[in-house]
Amino acid sequence: MATARILSGMRPTGKLHLGHYTGALENWVAQQNQCSADGNRAYDTYFLIADYHTLTTSLSTDDVYAHSLDMLVDWLAAGIDPEKSPMFRQSQVKQHAELFLLFSMLITSARLERNPTLKEQVRDLHMDSMSYGHLGYPVLQSADILLYKANVVPVGEDQIPHVEITREIARKFNNHFPHPLYGNVFAEPEPKITKFARLAGLDGKAKMSKSLGNTIFLSDPPDEVLRKMRTAVTDTQKVRKNDAGRPEVCTVFSYHKRFSTPEQCEEIAAGCQSGALGCVDCKKQCAANISAELAPLLERRTYYEARMDEVKNILFEGEAKARTVAEQTMQEVRTAMKLGEANCSATFFNTSCS
């Protein structure tokens, strides 16, 4: 059975929080380590630090490198293995920009404007206008995916429109530019619907966000996790310990469902509903369970933070591996499009093709 290939990525925003962990990172580790029935890896996994993508919403680049390293340390702490999974910055593999430019010729602005995810971003960010780069960021995502011949894309249901754009671009490229030796350059990637565990913020908002200050970071020690958990929103009708509570509307209980055992959750729900369990004790137990799961991550983070030269070397080696794969793809693209040395016209610039 052929090994499928996955590319996943995140924008470099610095240290990661529990929302990143349950929403994506732990799934990445599982995919990296998953084996097929024959004992081989089920997926080749590539992980992208999407620093170009940060420019679609902010032109400030002062902290991008530091944030990239912080995020990389969290990836390593969570269990991403550089021997199995190259990790690299988008900006350091120039083939991303080249393929993005070529793909931009294969899709209309009207098609991009119909992207429902883009419409939601414009609404949520209260944008009066957008740059060409922001409008075209699904095209850059398509280049990210297809540059590594990824044929499986793990996404939540809200991201399916992006995968469909990638499939359309791959199909159009293959139809217009068949390779002279083997036809299609790109496979049309299939979405792999993943039921990401979305965690609400400590304030009960829809999601954790550093900008809202409602996060627990993967790097938070137990005392900080407990301090933050004490501020978490609970059932507003449960004012005192003996009041009957409603676990189904409690933010803390939503964390219990992810970080506590089923038996613990059953006991906590019963104690909350009867009034036997107060919110203070409930939060203490939740914080302890979160810290227990984060303990090995903290240990690995401490190791890597003391060895930042090793972290940087992991990044540079991942980028070298990525460039090798990316350049092979681009050679196929240039051959299919009849671009490059063997096909260039020297007369236009009055220079040699060699």
Side-chain angles (χ1 to χ4, degrees):
M1 181 179 177
T3 301
R5 181 170 288 178
I6 286 176
L7 178 127
S8 297
M10 293 181 185
R11 297 186 184 204
T13 57
K15 293 181 179 180
L16 303 182
H17 52 66
L18 285 183
H20 294 116
Y21 179 67
T22 64
L25 193 50
E26 64 176 347
N27 190 54
W28 291 8
V29 175
Q31 290 163 348
Q32 167 193 268
N33 296 330
Q34 183 177 339
C35 290
S36 302
D38 59 8
N40 293 320
R41 291 181 63 197
Y43 302 107
D44 284 332
T45 44
Y46 289 74
F47 297 117
L48 172 74
I49 298 173
D51 50 357
Y52 277 157
H53 282 288
T54 64
L55 300 173
T56 62
T57 53
S58 173
L59 294 179
S60 174
T61 58
D62 292 344
D63 298 322
V64 169
Y65 180 59
H67 286 172
S68 296
L69 291 178
D70 268 336
M71 188 169 74
L72 180 59
V73 169
D74 276 329
W75 287 4
L76 292 166
I80 300 297
D81 182 349
E83 296 300 319
K84 295 179 178 179
S85 305
M87 292 165 275
F88 52 96
R89 290 167 292 172
Q90 193 179 30
S91 64
Q92 300 308 302
V93 183
K94 304 308 180 185
Q95 291 85 349
H96 284 266
E98 182 180 2
L99 192 57
F100 168 55
L101 173 65
L102 297 175
F103 280 175
S104 296
M105 314 303 177
L106 301 179
I107 191 166
T108 66
S109 58
R111 173 65 183 90
L112 293 172
E113 288 167 354
R114 293 199 304 271
N115 177 14
T117 308
L118 181 70
K119 293 179 179 178
E120 292 171 6
Q121 272 197 340
V122 171
R123 180 198 64 209
D124 294 344
L125 296 175
H126 308 291
M127 298 176 65
D128 297 323
S129 62
M130 73 173 67
S131 67
Y132 159 73
H134 194 174
L135 177 65
Y137 85 90
V139 184
L140 181 55
Q141 286 185 328
S142 298
D144 299 336
I145 293 165
L146 295 176
L147 190 58
Y148 301 93
K149 301 293 186 75
N151 46 18
V152 177
V153 183
V155 290
E157 291 184 0
D158 60 327
Q159 292 293 309
I160 289 179
H162 288 183
V163 181
E164 186 52 41
I165 288 174
T166 301
R167 290 171 56 83
E168 289 174 16
I169 288 174
R171 188 159 55 244
K172 192 166 185 178
F173 185 95
N174 291 336
N175 289 338
H176 278 269
F177 304 110
H179 193 280
L181 296 181
Y182 43 79
N184 291 345
V185 173
F186 299 112
E188 295 181 31
E190 295 290 339
K192 178 180 174 64
I193 306 301
T194 305
K195 301 299 183 183
F196 292 142
R198 301 290 184 185
L199 284 187
L202 291 166
D203 55 1
K205 301 293 184 183
K207 64 178 182 179
M208 282 195 174
S209 171
K210 281 192 285 188
S211 63
L212 296 176
N214 62 3
T215 63
I216 293 174
F217 290 105
L218 302 184
S219 54
D220 283 342
D223 57 341
E224 182 67 4
V225 172
L226 178 58
R227 184 191 70 79
K228 290 182 175 180
M229 185 59 64
R230 285 175 175 149
T231 70
V233 170
T234 56
D235 178 7
T236 55
Q237 293 185 16
K238 185 175 174 64
V239 180
R240 302 173 184 82
K241 175 179 178 179
N242 294 329
D243 293 341
R246 299 170 298 166
E248 67 276 8
V249 302
C250 177
T251 300
V252 176
F253 189 71
S254 72
Y255 296 171
H256 274 297
K257 288 192 289 185
R258 168 57 188 80
F259 293 99
S260 302
T261 66
E263 293 76 17
Q264 286 175 327
C265 286
E266 186 176 342
E267 182 179 342
I268 290 164
C272 176
Q273 290 166 336
S274 69
L277 178 65
C279 293
V280 171
D281 291 334
C282 178
K283 289 179 177 182
K284 285 181 180 178
Q285 185 173 355
C286 187
N289 290 347
I290 291 172
S291 291
E293 183 153 342
L294 293 183
L297 279 72
L298 285 172
E299 183 177 351
R300 287 191 290 266
R301 172 173 260 282
T302 299
Y303 171 89
Y304 284 112
E305 283 183 326
R307 297 165 175 82
M308 288 307 296
D309 285 344
E310 180 179 342
V311 172
K312 292 174 184 178
N313 284 335
I314 287 171
L315 185 60
F316 298 152
E317 289 172 5
E319 288 165 355
K321 292 176 183 177
R323 279 193 289 269
T324 299
V325 176
E327 182 54 27
Q328 181 177 342
T329 299
M330 289 311 303
Q331 287 178 6
E332 296 174 14
V333 167
R334 297 180 200 117
T335 298
M337 297 184 73
K338 300 181 175 63
L339 299 173
E341 285 188 8
N343 305 291
C344 73
S345 172
T347 57
F348 184 84
F349 292 105
N350 195 26
T351 58
S352 170
C353 293
S354 60

